[in-house]
Amino acid sequence: MPILLLFIALPLIEIALFIAIGGQIGVGATLALILLSALLGASILRGQQARAVAMMQGGLRIEPGTFLAQGAFRAFAGLLLILPGFLTDVVGLALLIPALQRAVVRAIGARATVSTAHVYRNDDVVEGEFTVREPGREPLDPDRRIDDQRH
């Protein structure tokens, strides 16, 4: 339900902001701002791709989680800046602020549950059932091939 309200409310808010801001600064300046924000968003996305390639080639010298979070914020901000509208532009520009990024990551981290997988080593004991089969005794055994010279 909240997503549906967002899809209904967001265009209405954007239209109201277009009318209000366009009335204050003029239609040409309003369209120029929207076009500039779309170009900025496209350049952020293009720069994010180059940044990701450079970080992978450099061996991720920073923490991978930080790299992924920063990349996600930049990509989402770029997409919001490409969308026409002043509200999405303000939110997109706000997501580029590192302090806000850290606050959002902390808020998400407080609600997230982290689970880890256990990797078994050679000295770990794994209990289970097994059956001993003598290789080559059964005619349908996968180890017994027709072209095998031993049989």
Side-chain angles (χ1 to χ4, degrees):
M1 189 68 174
I3 301 289
L4 179 63
L5 289 175
L6 180 70
F7 279 118
I8 293 171
L10 186 63
L12 295 175
I13 294 169
E14 293 290 6
I15 290 170
L17 287 172
F18 272 127
I19 293 169
I21 294 173
Q24 292 292 319
I25 64 173
V27 175
T30 303
L31 293 176
L33 282 175
I34 296 300
L35 183 62
L36 287 174
S37 70
L39 292 173
L40 176 66
S43 69
I44 287 173
L45 288 178
R46 194 174 310 120
Q48 182 60 27
Q49 178 186 5
R51 179 180 176 269
V53 170
M55 292 298 287
M56 284 183 224
Q57 289 173 345
L60 285 173
R61 290 188 186 111
I62 62 172
E63 195 174 316
T66 303
F67 171 73
L68 291 175
Q70 288 175 350
F73 280 117
R74 285 191 177 131
F76 191 58
L79 289 174
L80 287 175
L81 286 168
I82 288 174
L83 291 175
F86 290 107
L87 179 63
T88 54
D89 290 348
V90 169
V91 173
L93 289 173
L95 286 177
L96 294 174
I97 301 170
L100 181 65
Q101 291 176 358
R102 287 190 295 271
V104 170
V105 168
R106 276 194 304 270
I108 291 172
R111 294 183 182 175
T113 303
V114 177
S115 61
T116 60
H118 181 75
V119 177
Y120 293 102
R121 294 183 301 263
N122 288 338
D123 58 344
D124 287 342
V125 176
V126 180
E127 294 185 22
E129 296 181 12
F130 64 93
T131 304
V132 177
R133 285 186 29 200
E134 293 292 326
R137 297 260 186 219
E138 300 175 21
L140 298 177
D141 188 22
D143 292 335
R144 185 177 177 140
R145 297 176 43 150
I146 295 174
D147 58 344
D148 191 357
Q149 300 299 327
R150 297 178 295 167
H151 302 286

